[in-house]
Amino acid sequence: MASSPLDLAPVVPVVVIEDASDAVPLARALVAGGLPSIEVTLRTPAALDAIRAIADTVPDAVVGAGTVITPEQVSACTAAGARFLVSPGWTEALLEAMRGSGVPFLPGVSTTSEVVALLERGVREMKFFPAQAAGGTAYLKSLAGPLPQARFCPTGGIGPANAREYLALPNVRCVGGTWMLPADAVAARDWGRIEALAREAAGLSAGGTCR
């Protein structure tokens, strides 16, 4: 895969899968729409099976695991085939496990001190979460001056109405979101609609910095 999941497309779909049998057709729809980097969150019992199915069956997808909060989950996700890891926050133990996993990882931050602490530990790529609630684009813009070496994937409260504003920032490489996966389309297994929404999301500009 690319050196970072941040570099594959302007948007990383954040996927909650209730039925593992939906994982492969959903992933194929996202990839066909131009969003190959797919974050499957560990919010349902089906998540690990979904990651495994995508990793085994959809070679053009770069499947990762989200909502990773324990070292044990790091091991389980990489064993299932996850090619990157995303956490809403971080601890020393979790960071050590993610660093030792051998795959790219995005620890979550929402404060300047957390960003500085990660930079001190050699980590430059981070998830900014919850993006809108934590200060949105104004907060990220204020970080770009003193901390230009940090780059972010904001997630939380981002949709088609504000994604471009985030992507225009110099320290934002991509955004995470769910808007291309409306619940009714997933429930109806309307993969064509999801592919179309993914294609629209893939067309978002990142100011030349995302890809």
Side-chain angles (χ1 to χ4, degrees), residues 33-54:
L35 301 180
S37 185
I38 301 169
E39 175 188 336
V40 177
T41 70
L42 301 184
R43 299 181 190 177
T44 70
L48 286 176
D49 286 339
I51 291 169
R52 188 175 295 109
I54 295 170

Side-chain angles (χ1 to χ4, degrees), residues 105-197:
F105 57 93
L106 297 174
V109 297
S110 60
T111 69
T112 305
S113 293
E114 290 171 325
V115 176
V116 171
L118 285 176
L119 290 173
E120 186 179 81
R121 289 158 176 78
V123 179
R124 296 181 57 212
E125 297 183 344
M126 311 167 197
K127 172 178 178 171
F128 181 59
F129 176 83
Q132 283 291 93
T137 56
Y139 193 95
L140 286 171
K141 185 181 294 185
S142 71
L143 292 181
L147 302 171
Q149 64 272 52
R151 60 183 195 156
F152 301 97
C153 177
T155 304
I158 298 176
N162 61 1
R164 289 184 188 276
E165 185 179 356
Y166 278 94
L167 291 167
L169 297 175
N171 55 351
V172 170
R173 302 294 302 221
C174 62
V175 299
T178 61
W179 73 88
M180 72 298 299
L181 298 160
D184 59 337
V186 175
R189 295 178 169 83
D190 189 348
W191 312 126
R193 180 182 170 197
I194 289 172
E195 179 181 338
L197 291 170

